[in-house]
Amino acid sequence: MSGPVDAPLPLGMVWNMRYGAEAPSGTQPPVSSDELWKRLGDFLDACLPVAESAGVRLAAHPDDPPMPTMRGTPRLVYQPALYQRLLNLRPSPANALEFCLGTLAEMTEGDLYETVEQYSRQNAIAYVHFRNVRGKVPQYHEAFVDEGDIDMPRVLRILHRNGFSGVLIPDHTPQMTCEAPWHAGMAYAMGYMRAALDALPAQDRHPPDP
Ligand SMILES: [Mn+2]
């Protein structure tokens, strides 16, 4: 692959965000995957003790789109198994996952339902990005919540069976042609989520926290 996908990031930018307004011209030097994982370890060493003492869970989103590299920069979590590497790097209740179903479904390896099983059984999911897609990298489309490749009620059944009691939030959806293109898509997803939760078999439901 070549072109803009491989163009290195300018200094002072991280993806589409500028963090250094006074940065000189030029591009960021390359960094290895091992170095990036080492930096993540350093970050977690600094943040986890504070999070643990404050009762906060750090929740890592997978890299979206889940490619091994983007613009010459390696990415951390671009296959489902790499979530386990992140958890194993610094095991802690505060080192948890922002479990983005859409991004996980875009990944080329693994079975999505086994992935939900694996991480919910470990109580590693802090919260869920509830969205759907069709296809996998590099060819995929973001879809409405009920028209993608993921069987969303099946995901909910696994989460409930494993006692997940965290939050589901809608993630990006296609925009509709109306006066509130973004909010209409969100409302559609929210209504779907409410109905899907109501439709869960009673025996799968986790009792509410005391
Ligand atoms: Mn997401």
Side-chain angles (χ1 to χ4, degrees):
M1 201 175 290
S2 62
V5 172
D6 277 343
L9 289 163
L11 291 171
M13 295 281 291
V14 55
W15 307 118
N16 60 346
M17 289 171 283
R18 177 168 295 282
Y19 66 87
E22 309 302 321
S25 60
T27 56
Q28 295 184 18
V31 58
S32 70
S33 176
D34 285 346
E35 173 65 21
L36 203 62
W37 279 97
K38 183 193 161 305
R39 292 178 187 174
L40 176 65
D42 293 345
F43 173 84
L44 292 172
D45 284 339
C47 295
L48 281 174
V50 182
E52 287 166 2
S53 68
V56 169
R57 301 185 90 187
L58 305 180
H61 195 287
D63 288 296
D64 184 16
M67 304 280 285
T69 64
M70 286 279 292
R71 302 190 67 175
T73 301
R75 315 211 79 189
L76 292 167
V77 178
Y78 59 88
Q79 297 292 3
L82 291 167
Y83 250 167
Q84 194 64 56
R85 181 175 176 185
L86 186 149
L87 296 173
N88 294 349
L89 187 65
R90 297 292 186 278
S92 161
N95 183 19
L97 308 178
E98 194 288 71
F99 202 77
C100 183
L101 293 169
T103 308
L104 289 162
E106 291 157 18
M107 295 177 181
T108 55
E109 295 176 0
D111 173 83
L112 181 82
Y113 309 101
E114 288 173 10
T115 300
V116 176
E117 182 76 43
Q118 176 182 349
Y119 294 106
S120 59
R121 212 189 298 137
Q122 298 175 66
N123 194 26
I125 300 176
Y127 65 105
V128 174
H129 267 181
F130 199 83
R131 76 170 166 96
N132 215 332
V133 295
R134 282 197 304 265
K136 293 179 176 294
V137 288
Q139 294 292 332
Y140 66 92
H141 298 279
E142 297 187 355
F144 285 105
V145 68
D146 61 344
E147 63 170 6
D149 294 338
I150 308 172
D151 181 341
M152 303 304 268
R154 183 176 173 189
V155 168
L156 288 179
R157 288 195 296 273
I158 298 168
L159 290 171
H160 267 232
R161 197 174 62 242
N162 287 330
F164 176 70
S165 60
V167 173
L168 311 174
I169 66 172
D171 205 1
H172 15 124
T173 78
Q175 299 198 9
M176 291 180 168
T177 305
C178 65
E179 289 184 9
W182 171 258
H183 295 93
M186 287 292 111
Y188 185 77
M190 291 289 282
Y192 178 96
M193 288 160 66
R194 178 70 266 166
L197 289 173
D198 285 347
L200 279 174
Q203 66 270 24
D204 281 353
R205 292 203 182 198
H206 185 59
D209 291 330

